[in-house]
Amino acid sequence: MMKKGILTILVLLPFVAQLALLPFVNKIGPIVFGLPFFHFWLFLWIVLTPLCTYGIYQLQKSKGGLE
C-alpha cells in the first residue's frame, strides 16, 4: 500500500510542478544561478523528472511489474 502511494506521488509530481504551479512561479525575482526564477524552475524540473521516472521504474521492478 505504501509503494502505491509513493508511485502515485512520483507520477503526479512532475505534472503538478510543471503545469499547475507555473502561475505561482512565473516571476523574475529571485535570480537563481543567474536565471530568472521561472527559468530556474523549469530547468530544475527538467532535471528532476527523469529522477521521478527512475523511481517509478524501481518501484515497478521491485513489484515484478516489468516482466
Side-chain angles (χ1 to χ4, degrees), residues 2-16:
M2 179 73 165
K3 286 186 180 181
K4 188 173 183 177
I6 294 172
L7 184 66
T8 303
I9 290 171
L10 287 175
V11 168
L12 293 177
L13 189 62
F15 290 107
V16 170

Side-chain angles (χ1 to χ4, degrees), residues 7 24 28-29 35 59:
L7 184 66
F24 301 105
I28 294 174
L35 296 170
L59 286 172

